[in-house]
Amino acid sequence: MTPVVQAQGIHKRFGRLEVLKGIDFEVGQGEVACLIGPSGSGKSTLLRCINHLEKINAGRLYVNGQLVGYRERGGKLYELRDKEVAEQRRDIGMVFQRFNLFPHMTALENIIEAPVQVRGESKAQARERGRELLDRVGLGDKESAYPAQLSGGQQQRVAIARALAMRPKLMLFDEPTSALDPELVGDVLGVMRQLAADGMTMIVVTHEMQFAREVADKVVFMDDGVVVEQGVPEQVIANPQHERTRGFLSRVLSPNA
Ligand SMILES: Nc1ncnc2c1ncn2[C@@H]1O[C@H](COP(=O)(O)OP(=O)(O)OP(=O)(O)O)[C@@H](O)[C@H]1O
């Protein structure tokens, strides 16, 4: 079966700074991959490339078997038009560190905005599904609440529901719990665990090693723009093979040591 995401030797530069230096990895249908690594190692940039927010400079990146942002013809690459990019992006949901809900819209309005405007769903249909999604993230009683009336964790769960409303085939999470008070982290991770159990293909940038250990099918450790080590959590987290992985994990797992 074609992998959902396939990165083959991808490079990304910002000016002279090379942030991704030849990244290879794959995520299969229904798999959860956790990207871990120190600050500045290129994790967010990799997610942003997958979601068309950045363009790679070299290599090949495929989502659902399609080249991201380009069309290949006769061995040459041609940039896709905006409309074609928008079509490719529809299958990808993304949740950021900051939830970025529209402040003047209720939770339900935030969720139905894109399905109505972009997918052309009827308001009634989008509302019905929006309510189901709010139930799914444990916020069935909050449909009329405005973001300012919700905790950070609740806002993040609305943001997850909003991404799911577009019926994505792939969900990307960029440190979804790192802006939350510690007591709110568990509910958000709980929603993500459930999504994984329901078979959603996910790539999660996270420092939550317990989550990665329990939920990930694959852990990818990045440092300085390269994948240093990847494999099942039992290997990469519990029994890392590489000195750089061991150093990083010892800092994350006992930050005050
Ligand atoms: N738009 C940009 N322009 C210039 N440099 C950038 C841009 N985006 C990211 N960078 C640089 O690329 C490097 C990798 O950043 P990135 O955010 O991908 O790392 P990260 O591993 O996700 O780190 P963090 O955990 O801190 O988010 C950093 O040095 C960053 O300053």
Side-chain angles (χ1 to χ4, degrees):
M1 197 192 269
T2 316
V4 177
V5 176
Q6 217 173 356
Q8 299 174 343
I10 64 172
H11 288 253
K12 174 66 191 171
R13 286 184 297 275
F14 293 107
R16 272 198 245 151
L17 180 69
E18 189 168 39
V19 174
L20 302 179
K21 304 173 181 174
I23 301 281
D24 291 292
F25 88 111
E26 282 186 10
V27 184
Q29 183 71 47
E31 278 189 340
V32 177
C34 284
L35 300 186
I36 62 170
S39 182
S41 55
K43 307 177 301 293
S44 294
T45 302
L46 178 56
L47 274 198
R48 292 171 60 82
C49 288
I50 294 169
N51 197 21
H52 300 77
L53 296 169
E54 304 287 356
K55 274 199 154 74
I56 63 172
N57 300 111
R60 293 281 188 278
L61 179 58
Y62 299 89
V63 173
N64 294 318
Q66 284 186 307
L67 207 49
V68 172
Y70 296 94
R71 176 182 301 110
E72 192 163 17
R73 204 183 288 142
K76 282 191 170 174
L77 294 185
Y78 299 90
E79 286 197 12
L80 293 183
R81 290 191 295 267
D82 288 352
K83 198 173 155 230
E84 295 168 308
V85 169
E87 252 163 51
Q88 282 194 347
R89 289 193 73 200
R90 269 190 207 187
D91 287 341
I92 305 174
M94 186 151 175
V95 175
F96 298 87
Q97 189 175 355
R98 297 245 156 238
F99 351 107
N100 305 331
L101 299 175
F102 296 116
H104 59 287
M105 291 185 185
T106 64
L108 186 62
E109 286 165 353
N110 264 284
I111 293 170
I112 71 171
E113 172 77 7
V116 171
Q117 299 299 333
V118 181
R119 283 178 62 93
E121 288 183 20
S122 74
K123 273 201 169 172
Q125 188 188 1
R127 264 198 213 104
E128 190 183 326
R129 178 156 161 81
R131 291 193 175 109
E132 279 169 25
L133 288 168
L134 277 172
D135 274 339
R136 192 161 158 194
V137 300
L139 295 173
D141 56 341
K142 298 288 184 194
E143 70 169 69
S144 305
Y146 287 89
Q149 297 168 318
L150 298 172
S151 72
Q154 290 171 332
Q155 289 185 60
Q156 191 60 303
R157 285 186 278 154
V158 174
I160 295 173
R162 178 178 59 176
L164 293 174
M166 290 296 281
R167 302 174 194 270
K169 295 190 180 129
L170 167 68
M171 284 285 285
L172 308 176
F173 293 86
D174 194 357
E175 298 196 30
T177 57
S178 58
L180 302 178
D181 291 336
E183 71 274 19
L184 303 177
V185 168
D187 289 339
V188 173
L189 292 181
V191 167
M192 293 169 62
R193 270 175 214 273
Q194 191 56 53
L195 259 185
D198 292 344
M200 177 61 78
T201 309
M202 298 164 47
I203 304 179
V204 185
V205 173
T206 187
H207 292 294
E208 298 287 343
M209 292 304 139
Q210 193 59 29
F211 175 85
R213 226 178 142 154
E214 289 171 17
V215 181
D217 296 291
K218 179 181 285 177
V219 176
V220 180
F221 171 65
M222 288 178 63
D223 193 6
D224 195 21
V226 299
V227 172
V228 174
E229 187 168 344
Q230 59 180 313
V232 293
E234 277 314 303
Q235 180 206 314
V236 180
I237 298 179
N239 187 20
Q241 305 296 303
H242 202 288
E243 187 56 44
R244 279 152 83 182
T245 322
R246 285 197 285 273
F248 168 73
L249 287 169
S250 67
R251 290 193 298 279
V252 177
L253 295 174
S254 48
N256 303 315

